[in-house]
């Protein structure tokens, strides 16, 4: 694995060209987007796409997002571009928004996990955009972590998680959004919010002048999933995560400390210095930006329990609350444990 440091705002053209060559040859390149680091490969090359699944240890039922550098490039991958897609991309692209639409014939089923829909996103990170343009093709990229582990927001996280499973890591520093893109399915009759992110539901609904539906709950764990983002235990650290109200943080910490190496992620709660504390900003965007790095840090400190002060349950916190809920999902309850590595 080669790690190349690039200026996140003005990446060196030679470094980008070399990484783009790896993509064109069917290899894997990890690169920063504004949300999290992606593990990229040529989206229309079946062999390259299969390498992504192998490197992540990801089950084949999880489709990948095709990253593009323009609306035109996205439109070439789909058969319909409804008014909602036009409105959303005009407003939020490039940015942390992924749209699911009926796929064009040229899009391989290995990318879409056998579905007739494909997910497309135009990221805003200059390194991501430069790489897609230099490769001159759409780049398939899931988050650059092993399946069910915490998504990477730095090149260090990628290197520790994937090591030599990736050929090149473009190191553009820490990502700014910090949690994965909002995913909206526009392929059916009603738009469905498959994965909440940092764009609020209200803003999206105002933009498309329509209400978002919620995904169908998964009843049969073996059945095809509307979205792999719905796998319950996802984004999870090695430690057990306890999500607790502000008023009980101190009490839970005191109890857990008797038998565990405890870490804490708090905003307002004032706690003793006997535990490893990650103090996060009390605003949803600042919190999202720092959340995964905090989980990585507490994992590296070998915490066996992480106590998290529950953020407010309001719409602007939906993306953060979704990730915290999944991170705190008990391991034994997961129907997907057998799928995990
Ligand atoms: O912010 C992000 O979206 C990051 C960066 C790298 O762009 N990527 C990312 O990819 O989070 P991944 O593979 O970890 O998550 C992909 C999500 C899935 O959870 C699923 O909800 C949705 O995209 N998805 C992809 N293809 C789909 C499809 N054909 N139908 C439904 N959902 C799909
Ligand atoms: Mg992921």
């Amino acid at each position: 694995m080669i790690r190349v440091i690039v200026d996140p705002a003005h990446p060196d053209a030679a470094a980008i060209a070399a990484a783009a060559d790896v993509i064109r040859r069917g290899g894997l390149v990890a690169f920063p987007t504004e949300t999290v680091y992606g593990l990229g490969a040529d989206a229309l090359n079946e062999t390259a796409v299969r390498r992504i699944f192998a490197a992540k240890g990801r089950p084949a039922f999880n489709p990948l997002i095709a990253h593009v550098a323009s609306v035109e490039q996205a439109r070439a991958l789909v058969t319909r571009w409804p008014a909602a897609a036009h409105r959303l991309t005009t407003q939020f692209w490039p940015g942390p928004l992924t749209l699911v639409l009926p796929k064009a014939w040229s899009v391989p089923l290995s990318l879409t996990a056998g579905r007739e829909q494909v997910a497309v996103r135009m990221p805003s990170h200059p390194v991501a955009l430069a790489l897609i343009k230099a490769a001159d093709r759409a780049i398939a990229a899931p988050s650059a972590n092993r399946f069910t582990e915490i998504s990477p927001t730095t090149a260090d996280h990628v290197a520790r998680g994937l090591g030599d499973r990736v050929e090149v890591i473009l190191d553009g520093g820490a990502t700014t959004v910090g949690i994965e893109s909002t995913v909206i399915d526009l392929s059916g009759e009603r738009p469905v919010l498959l994965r909440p992110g940092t764009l609020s539901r209200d803003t999206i609904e105002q933009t498309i002048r329509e209400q978002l539906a919620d995904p169908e709950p998964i009843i049969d764990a073996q059945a095809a999933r509307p979205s792999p983002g719905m796998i319950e235990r996802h984004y999870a650290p090695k430690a057990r995560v306890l999500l607790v109200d502000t008023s009980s943080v101190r009490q839970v910490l005191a109890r857990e400390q008797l038998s565990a190496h405890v870490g804490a992620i708090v905003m307002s709660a004032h706690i003793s210095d006997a535990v490893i504390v990650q103090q996060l900003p009390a605003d949803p965007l600042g919190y999202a930006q720092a959340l995964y790095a905090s989980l990585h840090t507490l994992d590296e400190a070998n915490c066996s329990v992480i106590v998290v002060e529950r953020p407010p349950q309001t719409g602007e916190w939906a993306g953060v609350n979704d990730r915290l809920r999944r991170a705190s999902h008990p391991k034994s309850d997961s129907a997907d444990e057998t799928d995990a590595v």
Side-chain angles (χ1 to χ4, degrees), residues 33 35-38 56 58 63-65 67 98 100 112 115 117-119 121 141-143 179-181 183 194-195 226-229 235:
T33 80
T35 59
V36 300
Y37 273 70
K56 272 188 75 95
R58 183 174 187 157
L64 306 178
I65 298 170
H67 293 71
T98 298
V100 174
T112 67
R115 291 153 209 264
Q117 296 83 30
V118 64
R121 164 162 121 82
S143 49
I179 59 172
E180 301 82 350
S181 61
V183 181
L194 289 180
R195 182 173 71 184
S227 165
Y235 316 107

Side-chain angles (χ1 to χ4, degrees), residues 43-111:
L44 302 187
N45 175 336
E46 301 238 23
T47 316
V49 167
R50 273 198 291 275
R51 282 197 185 115
I52 292 181
F53 284 90
K56 272 188 75 95
R58 183 174 187 157
F61 61 72
N62 279 15
L64 306 178
I65 298 170
H67 293 71
V68 295
S70 68
V71 167
E72 294 67 44
Q73 202 178 5
R75 293 188 68 157
L77 300 173
V78 303
T79 57
R80 280 200 292 124
W81 196 253
H86 175 74
R87 291 187 182 130
L88 285 169
T89 55
T90 305
Q91 184 101 4
F92 300 116
W93 274 15
L97 172 69
T98 298
L99 300 181
V100 174
L101 288 156
K103 76 171 198 71
W105 66 268
S106 57
V107 174
L109 289 167
S110 50
L111 182 79

